[in-house]
Amino acid sequence: MRTEAIIFDMDGTMIHSMPWHAQAWVEFARRRGMDIDVPSLMARTTGKNGTECIAELLGRAVSQDEADALTHEKETIYRELFGPRFAEVTGFRQFAAQVHARGLKVAVGTAGDIGNVEFALGHLGSMGFMPAPLAIVRGDEGLPGKPQPAIFLEAARRIAAEPAHCIVFEDAPFGIEAARRAGMRAVAICSTHSADELAGPHVLTAVRDYTELMNTDFLESIHVATA
């Protein structure tokens, strides 16, 4: 099958941020005197948008104002913790440059909000060449989070790519499932989950990082569509 576009998830896929999201929830809970089972919360929310995460945390429906305030608090903690230790998933920028050089369209489809997107892309840019994506679809744009396919489908729409001709790069089970529901193929980046946890009939391969992926000549193996 020919390939027109690559859609990258962000957290855990482009940047090695998931341990710091977990630490942010720990600190958020400490400041508020809350008792949170962080591993359970992460399993239930990774890939969901901020409003969905807060509703899951509190176990009830929340107003948009309440969700926005609590999401802002938690994500600010996350950026404060991760900023001094910022790291990409190994090889990401090099791989993204190769994708760009091959003429593939590139989009980002993330449940993260604008603050986290600007934080991630700003740090990646400061580390060296980082091709700008043609489109970025965020979780604070009113779309349901993963495993619903809306974020990935909107990313494909914005770059005028057929879903069947897109490959999603994801690190989380909800994201892998969202790709399946969108009718897209996927590559599992096993930065925080095992290959078994990210398995599916649409998953082309599972790797620890982009250096490993590049060593398999992945881009050379796919049929890149040309205009």
Side-chain angles (χ1 to χ4, degrees), residues 83-99:
R85 305 166 181 84
F86 185 90
E88 67 175 356
V89 173
T90 303
F92 170 72
R93 284 175 301 116
Q94 182 182 355
F95 180 75
Q98 291 182 7
V99 168

Side-chain angles (χ1 to χ4, degrees), residues 66-206:
E66 181 181 20
D68 289 347
L70 294 178
T71 298
H72 176 75
E73 180 179 346
K74 180 266 174 178
E75 301 303 356
T76 298
I77 295 170
Y78 152 73
R79 293 191 293 268
E80 290 171 350
L81 291 172
F82 187 36
R85 305 166 181 84
F86 185 90
E88 67 175 356
V89 173
T90 303
F92 170 72
R93 284 175 301 116
Q94 182 182 355
F95 180 75
Q98 291 182 7
V99 168
H100 179 75
R102 291 182 73 86
L104 286 158
K105 298 175 181 179
V106 175
V108 174
T110 175
D113 62 15
I114 189 169
N116 285 356
V117 169
E118 291 177 347
F119 167 82
L121 295 183
H123 276 274
L124 286 168
S126 71
M127 293 167 66
F129 176 67
M130 171 60 199
L134 292 176
I136 301 171
V137 180
R138 307 186 313 269
D140 58 349
E141 295 185 64
L143 296 170
K146 305 161 190 176
Q148 297 302 317
I151 287 174
F152 291 147
L153 289 172
E154 177 61 14
R157 187 193 70 80
R158 290 185 190 180
I159 61 175
E162 290 293 327
H165 299 157
C166 297
I167 300 176
V168 167
F169 283 66
E170 258 287 354
D171 74 303
F174 281 170
I176 291 291
E177 172 61 12
R180 185 192 69 79
R181 295 184 187 184
M184 300 176 181
R185 292 161 291 158
V187 169
I189 302 298
C190 302
S191 59
T192 51
H193 291 86
S194 70
D196 286 345
E197 292 174 304
L198 302 177
H202 61 306
V203 177
L204 301 175
T205 189

